[in-house]
Amino acid sequence: MRLFLDTASIDEIREINRWGVLSGVTTNPTLVSKEHEDPEAVWKEILTEVEGDVSLEVTDMSSADAMEEQGRMLAERGPNAVVKVPMTPDGLEAGKRLMKSGIRINVTLVFSPAQAILAAEIGAYIVSPFLGRIDDSASDGMHALRQICEIYEVQGYETNVLAASLRHPMHVVDAALAGAHIATMPYEVFTKLVKHPLTDIGLEKFSADWAALQHELKGGA
Ligand code: E4P
């Protein structure tokens, strides 16, 4: 399972990128707005920093034509750009046209297996079910993800399943078990993946024992 960061913050991206585990980034209009900068500059910096796929979302959702036009402009930002279109009739129409012309699309705001089937049928590169938001609406996001992965397997769909809206490390572990191809998560979740109390305790003990040995060799008591 490839690991993506769900952010538009270049500092967060640089920090996780140095670990050598970052395969891509997902952004959305909300995340970009949090940077309070020119979106063009934000997108450009991310596309340059990250080698893998970077999802950039259309913001003019007034018609299929408008999304297609903006999608084409976003795709020109870099060879690693993936265009995010929403799960709506217009989004599907624009997405299919973009895929046909060789532009990779990520169908976003997906909340059910039925919607995921539609994304696969237009040949989307990525489908993004939002697990955390499904949980927020008192349904089981992980169950929906498992169903989507199973349907894609049974049907032989080639669309990549990207588990999105992940809120904690167990979401990531369960998404991997379910067979998701990609998991995208906020910086806070990414940094929790590396942490374990026993790692910290072990480090403290190793450091203390090593320091005690140095002290002893120098003739200390
Ligand atoms: C994915 O591409 C979305 O940007 C994201 O996962 C949404 O997550 P949220 O529900 O935490 O906003």
Side-chain angles (χ1 to χ4, degrees):
M1 185 174 74
R2 290 188 281 155
L3 303 178
F4 285 17
L5 194 53
D6 195 32
T7 188
S9 160
I10 196 68
D11 291 339
E12 292 180 357
I13 292 167
R14 287 200 175 117
E15 170 56 23
I16 303 299
N17 213 8
R18 80 183 176 89
W19 300 5
V21 297
L22 189 64
S23 294
V25 167
T26 48
T27 66
N28 63 41
T30 303
L31 294 170
V32 174
S33 73
K34 286 182 185 164
E35 297 308 301
H36 305 286
E37 284 177 41
D38 175 12
E40 286 295 335
V42 173
W43 288 327
K44 192 175 168 198
E45 207 167 20
I46 298 173
L47 287 162
T48 309
E49 174 67 26
V50 180
E51 270 182 39
D53 297 336
V54 177
S55 288
L56 310 177
E57 190 158 343
V58 296
T59 52
D60 181 352
M61 280 143 324
S62 54
S63 66
D65 286 346
M67 281 188 256
E68 182 187 357
E69 190 185 333
Q70 195 185 10
R72 290 189 188 284
M73 288 194 305
L74 292 172
E76 281 169 11
R77 300 289 176 275
N80 52 341
V82 175
V83 175
K84 255 185 174 179
V85 294
M87 170 48 70
T88 61
D90 284 341
L92 288 169
E93 184 180 346
K96 179 146 191 174
R97 287 192 217 150
L98 291 167
M99 283 298 296
K100 268 189 169 174
S101 62
I103 293 171
R104 298 175 307 158
I105 63 149
N106 173 351
V107 181
T108 190
L109 292 171
V110 167
F111 296 94
S112 72
Q115 290 179 321
I117 290 171
L118 296 177
E121 284 294 330
I122 63 160
Y125 172 59
I126 289 173
V127 64
S128 292
F130 278 36
L131 273 64
R133 293 195 198 184
I134 296 175
D135 289 351
D136 291 343
S137 64
S139 285
D140 187 344
M142 198 52 68
H143 179 64
L145 178 74
R146 282 193 209 100
Q147 286 190 319
I148 292 167
C149 289
E150 192 178 336
I151 291 166
Y152 276 32
E153 182 72 27
V154 168
Q155 296 296 327
Y157 288 141
E158 288 180 2
T159 300
N160 291 287
V161 179
L162 182 154
S165 187
L166 303 183
R167 304 274 166 81
H168 49 73
M170 281 314 294
H171 263 159
V172 181
V173 172
D174 287 338
L177 282 169
H181 304 100
I182 307 165
T184 193
M185 67 207 83
Y187 180 78
E188 294 69 32
V189 176
F190 228 119
T191 50
K192 279 182 188 161
L193 292 183
V194 78
K195 296 292 283 181
H196 195 286
L198 290 178
T199 305
D200 295 338
I201 291 168
L203 276 175
E204 269 179 39
K205 173 89 174 120
F206 287 158
S207 296
D209 289 348
W210 195 253
L213 174 66
Q214 305 308 306
H215 185 66
E216 182 187 321
L217 294 178
K218 280 181 192 151

